[in-house]
Amino acid sequence: MAALFDEAFLKKIELLYLVSKKVFAGSNQAFRRSKKLGAGLDVADFRPYVPGDDLRHIDWNYYAGTRELLIRLFEEEEDLHIYFLVDVSKSMRVGNGAKFDYARRLSAALGYIGLANLDRVSIVPFADKPLGVLPPSRGRSQIWKLFRFLEQETAPGPTDFDAALRAFVGQTRRRGLAVIISDFYDPAGYVEGLNYLRYHRFDPLVVQVFDEDELSPRLHGDVELVDCETDARVLVTVTPSLLAQYRQAHTDLMNRVEDFCRQKNVLYFRTPVQRPFDELVLQVFRMGGFLR
Amino acid sequence: MNWVLTGIPLQLLTTLALGLGGATTLLYVLRVRRRRIEVPYSPLWQAVLAQHRANQWWDRIKRLLSLLLQLLLLGLLLLALGDPRRQGDIDEARSVVLLVDTSASMMATDESGARSRMDRAREHALETLRGLTPRDEIMLVRMDGQIQPLTPFQREPALVEELVRELTPTATVANIQEAMRFAVDALAGRPQGEIVLISDGAFRPADVAQFDVEVPSSVTTTHLAVGQEGGNVGITSFNVRRYPSNRTNYEVYVAVRSYVAEPVTVELGIYGEGHLVDTERIDMAPGAEVTRIYTDLPSAGAHLEARIAIVAGDATDVFPVDDQAWTLLPREDVTRVLLVTQGNLYLEAPLLLNESIEVTRVTPENYGLSPDGRDTSAGHDITIFDGVAPPTADRGNFMYFSPSGPDSPWAVDADVVDPIIHQTQGSHPLMRFIQGLRDVNIGRARRLQTTPDDVVVASAIGGSPMIVARSDLQKRLVAVAFRVSDTDFALRVAFPVLLLNAIDWFTGEDARLVESFRTGESWVVRLADRSLQSARVTWPSGRTQEVPAYDGTMVLYGNEPGFYRIEAGETTFEVAGNLSDPDESAIAPVAPLVLGDIAIGTRLPDAAQTSDYDPWFLMVLAVFALLVLEWLTWNRRVTV
């Protein structure tokens, strides 16, 4: 087993799963009910009969009392689809690749809990487009497949949120929860991509990861900064005041993402990679956006 | 004030400055290739830079300041290599003779904190060294009983400092006259000569009064005084002697002098082989000298020691060197005397009566090679010829009564009838305890022809020598111009005394019969074996020294009080050394110092020149300070 998902990691996510079961017992079942009406067993609603309706669904008891024909509508039981959209662009791998590893671990942990809850879990790594997909899987036993997929090396590229999310929506028939794990370093922005998801009835959940070293880089003197994705070069004489300004600009960038999510009622989590991922998972549980 | 470069020449410095300065500027123009650092998202930096451009003029100034700082550092370093000096410093380079008194009085502990004068003198010397300019040259000379230059003239005070710290006083008397003469000679032909004398000024009054060294007007003399007013009571003399008439008995002589202004009570103790054998409390008036002679000391062994200490009175004794003295009972050697005579009871009797004299008698015919083949002339310390003068060996001690003949050391041209001894040399060892020989009746005597090497000890009216002594490296000779049988001299007390005096003189025992020496003098020590080339001397401090010997004599310069052990061939014996100098025990410091007609300028230590750092050193310091400043500002991100 690779170092990314070792025994300790497995134990940790198993524990997280147990915690999720205990803390949220009663509100979660072994499977989820979708909002879709269909051929289930439980009655969800009634409507007047129209010709052509299945006569087996007429509520004859109601007819006996009122002489009105009502058709029983059943809740269709359907599995929840959870899509983990993991940013694997170059910016996620710069330096020692801490953000990339963090994103993979986080998606694996949440994915395990999804699998254990008998949800359909799918992984979609992306950069400027989706770079493959792990087809929706269900059941705890699929975790090894998930691990293997996450461990696969993908060719990194530049980030293009809009293009990647549009392509994802276009190739995904089933709607569901879209967990987006990224640093949101996209010069073209992320607004359109997220809106596109929302408009197509996906429930986005945003996790913005960053590295503390990115926030406070250990730079001084004359340096040439090279963008890892665009290869753009910036000649800078780093001074304490310049560093302070950079730190503020970085914080502003993250705040803008958070503000947008809040306005659009999208669950938003921000985490440095130095924070243990299990803390973040618990926070996700508490916020209630992931477990329903 | 003009400045000149004494290090790297100006031309070379200019070339270096242009080259290195140009290279530095070029490097700044070219700039160092920036470090390339990969960042995840450059638009953030671009945004920040856009805000920051307003302050770019300050960055340019900082860059220029940095270049100027580098050029300044380079300039300072180059200037330091040039070793700039004021013109005056070079012109006024001095030649300094640092005369440090290391005599016994410097051991006095009357400086503050119970430190010795020597400690203070070392401080003065170090202060003087620090006051020198780099161009000054200095010679360190120690001054006690001997004058010893410890360094030649040199410009490295650091080397002299070590020697100054190692200076230790000796139990000798400072010879200021010779020291000043040496210093003046050493400064001959040198500009800006200066003699710095570090001393308590407690010299022999005679040396000071008769100071006759001519100090040139171009030579500056400075006296750095040490010593406070401290009291002293010292043993100024300590001797023991055997009685000439009875050498089994001896007497001890002690002289104690007070140098304090108050009456004091002193306890004097005499120790034999380390054990107290006599003690006495002596009340001493200010400046008084008290002598004691002990004639009836119990058998105390050969090693005698005297100690004194003030036991009552307000004064304190700050000079410990003269509070102890040592002496040795003279050796009681048997002297072998060969008497060459046909028979002379008068001559033989005084010798036979003395237990320390072993007498052998031979007739003149048997002198030399006897009939049985023995050499009768060998193996004796002294040979006495009674009316004969046969050929003798090349070395030895010979006494002649009425010498004549071809082998006589003195030619005899005639006889003198009824001579009357008119003059005697009372100071000569032969005449010790003899008040004169005027009333000796002499019937006939030889008229001895003396040489310039002879000392006429007694002469008759008309100048005819009656007793003559001669001494050289090989021989000691005494001639008495008459036969004992021709006079009534044998009936007088003076006769055996003269014989014993002659024997003492021959055997090297001087008139005082003293075997203790005075430190700071060259001691002539006689060895039993004349063939020895050297003897090993163990000093009181424990160190050993191989001292050359010649003809049974060894010359040793002793400067430590105490017992000296001498191993000479098969025999081992000891001698004692003492300060025993009333002048050196007078430790009262003298300042201002006047030597003869010359007043030595007194300089208080506080007025000594403060040390000037070399300009090059200050420049290097400035470079270091600028580097520290640069580092601090860089570290605090002020200059980055």
Side-chain angles (χ1 to χ4, degrees):
Chain A
M1 185 170 289
L4 191 61
F5 305 119
D6 52 11
E7 291 288 343
F9 179 78
L10 268 178
K11 284 181 182 170
K12 199 172 278 185
I13 60 176
E14 181 65 27
L15 184 66
L16 284 172
Y17 171 66
L18 293 175
V19 169
S20 73
K21 296 291 285 179
K22 184 174 182 182
V23 172
F24 303 101
S27 61
N28 297 291
Q29 302 300 318
F31 52 85
R32 321 285 171 85
R33 294 171 194 273
S34 71
K35 294 175 183 175
K36 191 177 174 182
L37 299 177
L41 295 176
D42 297 333
V43 176
D45 208 349
F46 298 89
R47 69 171 170 77
Y49 169 78
V50 293
D53 284 340
D54 190 343
L55 294 178
R56 287 177 299 175
H57 293 166
I58 293 174
D59 188 342
W60 295 110
N61 291 333
Y62 186 78
Y63 177 76
T66 62
R67 294 296 174 180
E68 285 184 34
L69 288 172
L70 281 180
I71 292 293
R72 287 178 293 191
L73 298 177
F74 293 94
E75 245 181 11
E76 180 172 309
E77 287 179 358
E78 184 179 299
D79 295 336
L80 176 66
H81 280 70
I82 302 175
Y83 300 98
F84 289 95
L85 294 160
V86 182
D87 185 354
V88 295
S89 65
K90 283 184 179 174
S91 66
M92 290 288 284
R93 308 181 188 209
V94 77
N96 55 5
K99 287 191 294 183
F100 183 50
D101 291 345
Y102 195 86
R104 289 192 291 172
R105 283 171 176 263
L106 183 60
S107 54
L110 292 174
Y112 178 77
I113 293 162
L115 289 173
N117 284 333
L118 299 179
D119 293 330
R120 297 279 180 180
V121 173
S122 176
I123 306 285
V124 181
F126 74 95
D128 54 345
K129 59 185 177 185
L131 301 172
V133 61
L134 173 70
S137 309
R138 186 182 176 189
R140 206 183 296 186
S141 61
Q142 298 300 312
I143 190 64
W144 302 109
K145 203 165 123 186
L146 188 146
F147 284 168
R148 277 195 296 276
F149 183 80
L150 284 172
E151 283 172 354
Q152 281 176 4
E153 196 59 42
T154 52
T159 314
D160 189 340
F161 248 87
D162 291 345
L165 295 188
R166 277 174 186 277
F168 165 72
V169 170
Q171 70 189 28
T172 308
R173 194 166 55 86
R174 294 275 188 179
R175 300 317 185 226
L177 181 64
V179 180
I180 304 157
I181 305 171
S182 171
D183 54 10
F184 288 82
Y185 287 159
D186 184 359
Y190 45 84
V191 175
E192 286 190 23
L194 287 179
N195 280 338
Y196 198 76
L197 271 181
R198 290 174 53 240
Y199 297 156
H200 288 81
R201 300 180 61 199
F202 282 92
D203 287 335
L205 187 154
V206 170
V207 180
Q208 185 173 19
V209 293
F210 69 97
D211 195 334
E212 292 284 7
D213 290 343
E214 287 175 11
L215 193 61
S216 304
R218 289 168 193 165
L219 298 176
H220 55 80
D222 294 338
V223 290
E224 182 183 30
L225 305 178
V226 182
D227 193 297
C228 67
E229 292 188 359
T230 64
D231 209 28
R233 284 148 202 273
V234 184
L235 301 180
V236 184
T237 300
V238 181
T239 63
S241 63
L242 194 77
L243 279 177
Q245 290 179 29
Y246 167 78
R247 201 159 27 246
Q248 188 56 49
H250 194 283
T251 308
D252 290 346
L253 172 73
M254 293 190 291
N255 288 342
R256 280 198 298 275
V257 178
E258 184 176 5
D259 290 345
F260 171 80
C261 292
R262 190 179 297 119
Q263 286 169 11
K264 303 302 179 189
N265 205 21
V266 172
L267 276 172
Y268 171 84
F269 300 93
R270 181 193 301 174
T271 180
V273 295
Q274 284 74 19
R275 180 187 185 189
F277 76 92
D278 43 350
E279 277 186 21
L280 177 65
V281 170
L282 288 175
Q283 187 190 358
V284 172
F285 292 169
R286 279 195 292 273
M287 294 293 288
F290 189 76
L291 299 173
R292 303 182 189 194
Chain B
M1 181 71 69
N2 289 330
W3 288 78
V4 291
L5 296 177
T6 59
I8 295 178
L10 180 61
Q11 193 175 1
L12 179 57
L13 272 186
T14 310
T15 309
L16 282 173
L18 288 174
L20 294 174
T24 308
T25 310
L26 190 64
L27 286 173
Y28 259 77
V29 171
L30 291 175
R31 285 195 185 179
V32 180
R33 187 167 176 244
R34 289 167 182 263
R35 285 179 295 143
R36 293 187 62 177
I37 294 169
E38 196 178 46
V39 293
Y41 195 52
S42 63
L44 273 179
W45 287 102
Q46 285 166 341
V48 169
L49 274 183
Q51 298 172 13
H52 205 68
R53 284 196 205 291
N55 294 331
Q56 226 169 16
W57 62 272
W58 169 239
D59 289 338
R60 287 202 204 97
I61 286 180
K62 278 197 296 188
R63 194 168 289 282
L64 187 62
L65 282 177
S66 178
L67 173 62
L68 290 175
L69 178 67
Q70 298 296 325
L71 291 176
L72 179 62
L73 293 177
L74 178 67
L76 283 171
L77 283 175
L78 288 175
L79 209 53
L81 287 173
D83 195 7
R85 309 260 179 209
R86 286 178 300 187
Q87 185 72 48
D89 286 347
I90 299 170
D91 294 343
E92 293 168 8
R94 296 174 298 162
S95 296
V96 180
V97 174
L98 187 60
L99 271 181
V100 183
D101 187 351
T102 54
S103 65
S105 60
M106 297 296 281
M107 296 185 206
T109 54
D110 55 350
E111 287 288 349
S112 60
R115 292 181 308 150
S116 71
R117 293 178 181 179
M118 197 67 233
D119 293 334
R120 191 76 185 103
R122 285 191 209 98
E123 291 174 4
H124 278 314
L126 293 175
E127 285 166 7
T128 304
L129 290 174
R130 292 186 197 112
L132 297 174
T133 66
R135 289 277 163 182
D136 291 342
E137 290 187 300
I138 190 162
M139 171 191 277
L140 177 64
V141 180
R142 65 177 295 159
M143 171 185 69
D144 45 29
Q146 292 180 319
I147 312 304
Q148 187 180 6
L150 299 179
T151 66
F153 279 108
Q154 59 163 325
R155 292 177 183 159
E156 293 295 333
L159 300 176
V160 183
E161 278 185 20
E162 194 61 32
L163 294 170
V164 166
R165 290 194 177 91
E166 291 172 359
L167 284 174
T168 49
T170 60
T172 60
V173 183
N175 192 338
I176 182 62
Q177 186 122 268
E178 287 306 312
M180 289 296 285
R181 200 185 312 280
F182 175 85
V184 169
D185 290 347
L187 289 171
R190 288 180 168 269
Q192 298 292 329
E194 184 173 340
I195 299 172
V196 177
L197 172 64
I198 303 176
S199 170
D200 54 10
F203 305 125
R204 286 184 202 274
D207 286 351
V208 173
Q210 296 164 13
F211 188 80
D212 60 354
V213 180
E214 287 193 15
V215 180
S217 58
S218 61
V219 174
T220 311
T221 53
T222 307
H223 175 216
L224 297 180
V226 297
Q228 310 294 325
E229 283 295 341
N232 180 39
V233 176
I235 300 170
T236 53
S237 184
F238 182 48
N239 282 314
V240 59
R241 69 172 188 176
R242 292 186 185 278
Y243 288 116
S245 56
N246 181 5
R247 294 194 173 189
T248 58
N249 289 336
Y250 61 92
E251 62 184 12
V252 175
Y253 173 80
V254 187
V256 179
R257 177 172 286 188
S258 168
Y259 296 88
V260 294
E262 304 86 16
V264 290
T265 302
V266 172
E267 185 173 87
L268 168 65
I270 305 294
Y271 295 78
E273 300 295 346
H275 303 291
L276 184 65
V277 293
D278 196 288
T279 182
E280 181 183 1
R281 289 202 169 200
I282 306 170
D283 294 324
M284 301 192 72
E289 183 178 62
V290 174
T291 60
R292 290 288 185 271
I293 296 173
Y294 298 92
T295 59
D296 52 355
L297 285 177
S299 178
H303 299 83
L304 298 175
E305 181 183 347
R307 299 179 197 167
I308 57 165
I310 297 176
V311 292
D314 294 333
T316 55
D317 188 347
V318 297
F319 188 51
V321 182
D322 59 1
D323 294 343
Q324 274 181 291
W326 296 265
T327 192
L328 283 158
L329 200 60
R331 287 168 291 168
E332 193 181 4
D333 295 335
V334 173
T335 307
R336 291 159 297 180
V337 176
L338 177 65
L339 186 59
V340 184
T341 178
Q342 292 291 357
N344 188 336
L345 187 60
Y346 292 114
L347 191 55
E348 200 171 346
L351 301 175
L352 291 172
L353 288 173
N354 197 310
E355 292 178 354
S356 62
I357 298 174
E358 183 181 295
V359 182
T360 307
R361 183 161 59 85
V362 297
T363 58
E365 297 79 31
N366 289 334
Y367 179 71
L369 207 59
S370 66
D372 54 2
R374 288 185 298 111
D375 184 2
T376 57
S377 64
H380 299 91
D381 299 313
I382 300 161
T383 305
I384 300 175
F385 297 107
D386 181 21
V388 293
T392 61
D394 291 338
R395 58 172 61 194
N397 301 308
F398 304 99
M399 186 173 188
Y400 295 86
F401 282 89
S402 183
S404 63
D407 295 316
S408 168
W410 289 271
V412 177
D413 54 1
D415 287 349
V416 184
V417 180
D418 294 333
I420 297 173
I421 294 176
H422 175 63
Q423 275 191 324
T424 54
Q425 196 179 96
S427 61
H428 196 277
L430 289 177
M431 297 304 291
R432 184 170 50 124
F433 305 126
I434 298 175
Q435 295 297 325
L437 299 170
R438 284 174 183 274
D439 52 351
V440 175
N441 296 307
I442 305 169
R444 181 181 295 273
R446 304 286 191 189
R447 185 191 295 274
L448 305 176
Q449 301 293 314
T450 58
T451 67
D453 294 334
D454 292 337
V455 176
V456 177
V457 179
S459 59
I461 295 172
S464 180
M466 291 291 107
I467 301 174
V468 180
R470 182 187 294 175
S471 177
D472 59 29
L473 288 175
Q474 305 288 332
K475 283 185 175 180
R476 280 194 168 191
L477 307 175
V478 172
V480 178
F482 46 84
R483 294 184 67 137
V484 178
S485 56
D486 292 340
T487 69
D488 61 355
F489 191 27
L491 303 176
R492 300 180 184 275
V493 176
F495 176 64
V497 175
L498 176 68
L499 276 180
L500 291 177
N501 284 347
I503 289 169
D504 288 343
W505 186 68
F506 282 134
T507 54
E509 295 187 42
D510 66 10
R512 292 174 296 165
L513 293 174
V514 169
E515 292 217 0
S516 63
F517 296 94
R518 183 178 286 186
T519 52
E521 293 178 349
S522 292
W523 306 344
V524 178
V525 181
R526 296 203 174 273
L527 308 177
D529 187 349
R530 289 189 169 195
S531 64
L532 287 176
Q533 300 293 312
S534 66
R536 175 178 290 273
V537 178
T538 304
W539 288 54
S541 60
R543 71 185 175 96
T544 58
Q545 181 187 7
E546 200 71 27
V547 180
Y550 178 73
D551 193 31
T553 303
M554 178 186 83
V555 178
L556 177 68
Y557 179 80
N559 57 16
E560 293 177 11
F563 293 116
Y564 291 68
R565 181 181 174 84
I566 299 169
E567 297 169 56
E570 299 292 321
T571 59
T572 299
F573 61 98
E574 288 176 298
V575 296
N578 295 309
L579 177 62
S580 299
D581 191 312
D583 290 338
E584 195 60 18
S585 290
I587 58 167
V590 177
L593 185 62
V594 179
L595 299 174
D597 300 331
I598 302 169
I600 308 295
T602 301
R603 191 173 74 201
L604 294 173
D606 293 339
Q609 289 184 5
T610 53
S611 173
D612 284 331
Y613 290 107
D614 291 349
W616 70 264
F617 181 71
L618 296 176
M619 288 170 189
V620 173
L621 272 186
V623 168
F624 182 71
L626 283 173
L627 285 174
V628 169
L629 186 68
E630 161 71 359
W631 183 83
L632 284 174
T633 54
W634 181 88
N635 217 28
R636 293 175 182 275
R637 300 290 190 267
V638 176
T639 54
V640 294

